[in-house]
Amino acid sequence: MLSVLYEDSDILVAVKPAGVESQSARGFAKDMVSEIRRYVTIQARNPQNIHKLTTLSSKGQGKNQPPYVGVIHRLDRPVSGIMVYARNQKAAASLSSLMQQGKMEKWYKAVVCGKPVDNHGVYVDYLRQNQGENRSEIVDKSAAGSKRAELSYTAEASTERCDAGESREYSLVRIRLLTGRHHQIRVQFSGHGTPLYGDDKYGEKTAPGQPDLLALCAFRLSFPHPVTGKRMEFEMEPSGGAFEWFKENPS
């Protein structure tokens, strides 16, 4: 069932589970746009909610058209976290502009293999996307197609786990994403020697019998409301997979 954190006539903020596409998916795969449309349709048909929700048709839409759901930003399919969607085109344009201006703040938590050299730091790299292989890589600034990627991080805790008879260290890291590049967090942490746990694409395969959920969650989102300008802030606690290690044995 869709976990909605906030809704009004202009925006809807919800939690995207890991494994669900953040935009419309092909075939029968589960996606957030379809889930939100289903949710809005059910809510609008409930007489108790008529006073607080808009009707199914947005301005300029026919009555038989599905509810408008504007995708403003994206999370990779394996990533869980908080997302905001627009309920009409005007709100979508405003939110997109706010994001381009850097006024939408996105924070993540991740479990990485090993421990960053510094407890607090900033990574600035240049990434190039290979669309054919759905991968990105760190390249020289002068390389064709390179784009600047920046994030800041804080290592919050560490723990040791026994993997296949070998003790290994893992760290819980809080990340402020300052640019939005393809697979940015995954590529940069891997490139700096601490790949994300469960990241088979940029790290290493998890040990047999262990959960291989990608340990990355967009746990905090902050932005001005596209109509009122009021600062909206939402936060969740990452759970499942490697995140549970730090609830059991924080240090």
Side-chain angles (χ1 to χ4, degrees):
M1 186 174 180
L2 186 68
S3 176
V4 176
L5 303 181
Y6 176 84
E7 62 180 313
D8 61 26
S9 60
D10 297 299
I11 63 173
L12 186 145
V13 180
V15 175
K16 185 190 90 66
V20 176
E21 295 286 357
S22 58
Q23 53 189 334
S24 297
R26 296 178 180 178
F28 297 101
K30 196 172 183 180
D31 68 81
M32 288 294 289
V33 171
S34 297
E35 291 298 304
I36 291 170
R37 281 176 175 160
R38 185 179 297 112
Y39 169 85
V40 171
T41 300
I42 292 172
Q43 292 295 307
R45 287 174 178 167
N46 185 340
Q48 295 180 351
N49 296 322
I50 293 295
H51 68 285
K52 66 176 182 178
L53 293 175
T54 57
T55 59
L56 291 182
S57 59
S58 299
K59 187 176 181 180
Q61 272 186 284
K63 291 184 179 181
N64 294 325
Q65 294 296 315
Y68 180 91
V69 179
V71 179
I72 308 304
H73 59 123
R74 294 169 176 80
L75 292 177
D76 295 341
R77 185 182 59 80
V79 181
S80 62
I82 302 171
M83 299 191 68
V84 58
Y85 291 85
R87 294 284 307 277
N88 54 65
Q89 293 181 350
K90 184 177 180 180
S94 179
L95 285 170
S96 296
S97 177
L98 290 169
M99 188 168 69
Q100 292 172 2
Q101 296 172 42
K103 295 181 179 180
M104 184 176 290
E105 297 181 6
K106 293 179 279 187
W107 296 78
Y108 293 73
K109 284 192 179 182
V111 177
V112 301
C113 302
K115 190 174 183 180
V117 175
D118 300 310
N119 287 333
H120 306 276
V122 175
Y123 290 157
V124 178
D125 298 291
Y126 286 83
L127 307 187
R128 180 172 59 194
Q129 181 180 358
N130 183 329
Q131 294 184 344
E133 297 183 5
N134 191 31
R135 290 180 62 92
S136 289
E137 60 181 345
I138 296 177
V139 296
D140 188 81
K141 179 180 180 179
S142 61
S146 67
K147 293 183 178 180
R148 188 176 186 275
E150 181 178 1
L151 60 81
S152 62
Y153 72 86
T154 299
E156 294 189 326
S158 62
T159 186
E160 289 191 0
R161 309 290 294 188
C162 187
D163 292 347
E166 179 183 354
S167 180
R168 301 187 63 179
E169 186 174 28
Y170 299 93
S171 300
L172 178 66
V173 182
R174 185 177 76 249
I175 303 157
R176 167 82 186 280
L177 197 59
L178 300 173
T179 55
R181 306 304 180 200
H182 179 257
H183 292 174
Q184 180 180 335
I185 293 173
R186 299 163 67 181
V187 176
Q188 287 193 275
F189 274 89
S190 178
H192 288 268
T194 53
L196 271 61
Y197 180 82
D199 192 352
D200 292 349
K201 185 180 289 286
Y202 297 104
E204 58 187 62
K205 292 186 179 297
T206 52
Q210 290 188 337
D212 68 4
L213 292 174
L214 177 64
L216 180 61
C217 175
F219 83 101
R220 186 177 179 219
L221 183 66
S222 176
F223 58 92
H225 191 283
V227 176
T228 67
K230 178 183 176 181
R231 193 75 190 177
M232 312 293 289
E233 296 188 355
F234 303 93
E235 192 166 319
M236 64 176 284
E237 185 65 27
S239 62
F243 287 113
E244 298 301 317
W245 299 345
F246 297 89
K247 296 176 183 178
E248 298 170 2
N249 183 33
S251 64

